[in-house]
Amino acid sequence: MAACVSYLPLFILSLSTAYSVPVQSGVGFSAQLIHRDSPRSPFYNSSETHSQRLTNALHRSINRLSHFNTSRHELQSDVYSDGHGEYIMNISIGTPPVEILSIADTGSDLIWTQCKPCAHCYKQDAPLFDPKSSSTYGPLSCLSTECKALNETIKGAFCPPKAGDSTCLYRYTYGSGFTNGDLATETVTLTSVSGQPIAFPKTIIGCGRNNSGTFHKEESGIIGLGGGVVSLVSQLGPSIDGKFSYCLVPISAVPYCSSKIYFGANAIVSGYGVVTTPLVKKNPDTFYFLTLQAISVDDVIIEFKGSAFGTTEGNIVIDSGTTMTLLPKYFYLELESAIASKIQAKRVHDPDKAFSLCYKFNSNFKIPKIVVRFAFASVKLDPLNTFILISKHVGCFTFLPTDNGLAIYGNLNQMNFLIGYDIVKRTVSFKPTDCTMH
């Protein structure tokens, strides 16, 4: 794994605004994404086996499904029984900057952290953020244009009756908890791969005063990368030309390499092998909806007739925070049958009963060519995207069925692709890439 770049410290202990620079239009920068199962992650459990980590990731994928239930009326983030997402970003807020351990999540919007004073906060290792200690913290007034706009455009932002000039509030509910607090503007600082802190003044954040759920004590916030108006991507807007991309290293490289996320000029995906599919605008605008038309297994094409998201356009969500690719049961069973008919190997059971399709691996094991056919973009998956070793001699299929009919394109299928989002042109692009070299 010598190709991987040297790591920056996950926690930068002495950031100073004297050394941070505000982002300007047309400027590009990149940052590290640390997988939660990396030895550099505070979530890392050295006593777990590789198989246990994969099984836990599978359960997180299933638990996360409720996050994508678009019939819910409350705006959701991803607070679930086994963690909030799969990747961590180094982020600081305030002046002087205070670090928070943040989950980078393309399936949620708000940037938020626990704040002092707190009526009810879950236990966290790091000190709570104190707005009084920051010279750039500015609570949003209920009379402000920003608060009024947020009240009109997102569910979750509100003001009490006859609030006058009091603080604009937010209330988000989740699968297993909630966060309530104040909306404010604050300077958010990210540390780029080059080591240069990049500052984003007057970013809208949530200052949590009443938070409950199955959070881990190591974490103190979420950085939303979704498509909604308060996500980091949307708030950066013209300064990054509406572009971000990421390159996720394979699971086998997680102990040695970090993945990367790119913004602005650095996020452009171009060159040989690039395919592009439309981003479909649907409710909620947090999620990145694509259109899946079929999946082919060698010469067998299995048409996708839709999901709970819809039968035609926008029938699947691409999500970096879900590990497995999840498909409606009717479609998954057709896909599994097609793959099983092509593989000449001994089928075995996953001892943890987590994966559905597993085989005994040997040097002659041959995986069929699997192509995910999005609208205008056929993405040929590598074997590392479709089968994963859960033990030395057992490999399992990285797709799973869902009972509720939802369809999520998970991060195992995204690894070793440079994936670019353009929220202005409304496209997602895929380029086969060795992400350990990118």
Side-chain angles (χ1 to χ4, degrees):
M1 294 299 171
C4 294
V5 298
S6 299
Y7 286 127
L8 292 171
L10 180 58
F11 298 107
I12 306 298
L13 297 178
S14 56
L15 287 177
S16 167
T17 52
Y19 297 99
S20 64
V21 295
V23 70
Q24 298 176 348
S25 180
V27 171
F29 68 97
S30 56
Q32 291 186 358
L33 291 174
I34 308 300
H35 194 278
R36 65 177 297 129
D37 287 332
S38 164
R40 297 184 60 243
S41 163
F43 300 122
Y44 180 72
N45 184 348
S46 60
S47 66
E48 287 182 340
T49 65
H50 176 68
S51 176
Q52 287 172 327
R53 292 189 185 105
L54 288 175
T55 299
N56 290 340
L58 181 151
H59 290 311
R60 288 194 298 270
S61 294
I62 298 299
N63 290 340
R64 191 169 162 83
L65 271 176
S66 63
H67 173 50
F68 297 98
N69 184 352
T70 56
S71 65
R72 288 178 65 98
H73 295 291
E74 299 89 351
L75 201 158
Q76 297 187 45
S77 183
D78 51 345
V79 182
Y80 297 105
S81 59
D82 241 342
H84 300 181
E86 299 301 305
Y87 293 93
I88 301 164
M89 280 183 71
N90 194 10
I91 181 175
S92 298
I93 59 175
T95 306
V98 175
E99 309 171 346
I100 63 170
L101 173 60
S102 56
I103 306 299
D105 184 19
T106 54
S108 64
D109 290 326
L110 187 67
I111 305 163
W112 69 274
T113 189
Q114 298 199 114
C115 291
K116 293 176 64 176
C118 191
H120 181 271
C121 278
Y122 62 87
K123 184 179 179 181
Q124 69 176 50
D125 287 343
L128 299 182
F129 176 68
D130 187 354
K132 292 182 179 179
S133 299
S134 173
S135 63
T136 48
Y137 181 88
L140 281 182
S141 164
C142 282
L143 299 179
S144 67
T145 55
E146 293 93 342
C147 183
K148 291 176 181 177
L150 290 172
N151 271 299
E152 292 173 358
T153 56
I154 69 170
K155 298 169 184 174
F158 70 98
C159 283
K162 300 180 181 179
D165 196 28
S166 61
T167 300
C168 189
L169 305 176
Y170 77 91
R171 177 177 59 238
Y172 284 5
T173 59
Y174 308 103
S176 58
F178 60 85
T179 176
N180 299 340
D182 304 333
L183 286 172
T185 59
E186 181 58 286
T187 296
V188 172
T189 304
L190 299 179
T191 300
S192 70
V193 168
S194 68
Q196 175 67 61
I198 309 292
F200 309 107
K202 297 189 180 300
T203 302
I204 295 174
I205 68 165
C207 204
R209 308 286 190 178
N210 185 8
N211 317 297
S212 180
T214 49
F215 290 90
H216 289 275
K217 63 180 181 179
E218 295 89 353
E219 61 190 286
S220 52
I222 291 175
I223 181 164
L225 297 171
V229 294
V230 291
S231 78
L232 177 64
V233 175
S234 296
Q235 291 195 67
L236 293 183
S239 64
I240 61 168
D241 298 322
K243 296 180 179 67
F244 77 99
S245 62
Y246 51 75
C247 207
L248 306 180
V249 301
I251 284 291
S252 60
V254 161
Y256 316 101
C257 305
S258 65
S259 299
K260 305 291 189 307
I261 185 167
Y262 307 90
F263 296 90
N266 287 24
I268 296 171
V269 179
S270 61
Y272 178 78
V274 175
V275 294
T276 300
T277 188
L279 260 178
V280 180
K281 196 169 184 63
K282 295 183 73 170
N283 184 46
D285 56 7
T286 299
F287 306 145
Y288 294 108
F289 291 96
L290 307 181
T291 301
L292 177 63
Q293 296 179 332
I295 296 180
S296 61
V297 181
D298 285 344
D299 57 345
V300 177
I301 298 176
I302 306 160
E303 292 187 9
F304 189 58
K305 298 173 183 176
S307 70
F309 295 131
T311 56
T312 53
E313 292 187 340
N315 54 25
I316 191 168
V317 169
I318 181 171
D319 179 44
S320 66
T322 301
T323 299
M324 315 299 293
T325 288
L326 306 171
L327 298 168
K329 184 175 286 186
Y330 83 89
F331 185 73
Y332 173 84
L333 293 176
E334 288 186 65
L335 178 62
E336 181 184 285
S337 176
I339 290 172
S341 70
K342 299 287 185 178
I343 294 180
Q344 304 300 315
K346 183 180 179 182
R347 189 165 175 174
V348 296
H349 293 291
D350 170 17
D352 293 323
K353 299 180 180 179
F355 293 87
S356 178
L357 182 63
C358 299
Y359 290 94
K360 187 173 182 179
F361 265 36
N362 57 46
S363 58
N364 297 321
F365 187 85
K366 186 178 180 181
I367 297 171
K369 183 175 79 170
I370 299 174
V371 178
V372 180
R373 298 172 181 262
F374 296 110
F376 307 105
S378 291
V379 178
K380 181 181 178 296
L381 299 181
D382 234 34
L384 68 84
N385 301 121
T386 56
F387 276 84
I388 190 164
L389 285 171
I390 64 168
S391 65
K392 189 174 181 180
H393 298 296
V394 175
C396 297
F397 191 41
T398 58
F399 295 67
L400 287 173
T402 63
D403 291 326
N404 59 7
L406 295 177
I408 313 294
Y409 193 67
N411 64 49
L412 287 178
N413 286 178
Q414 300 176 50
M415 291 176 176
N416 265 7
F417 284 91
L418 180 60
I419 301 179
Y421 296 70
D422 189 324
I423 60 175
V424 175
K425 294 183 178 178
R426 304 295 304 169
T427 60
V428 173
S429 298
F430 299 82
K431 182 180 182 179
T433 304
D434 181 352
C435 292
T436 66
M437 299 285 289
H438 204 270

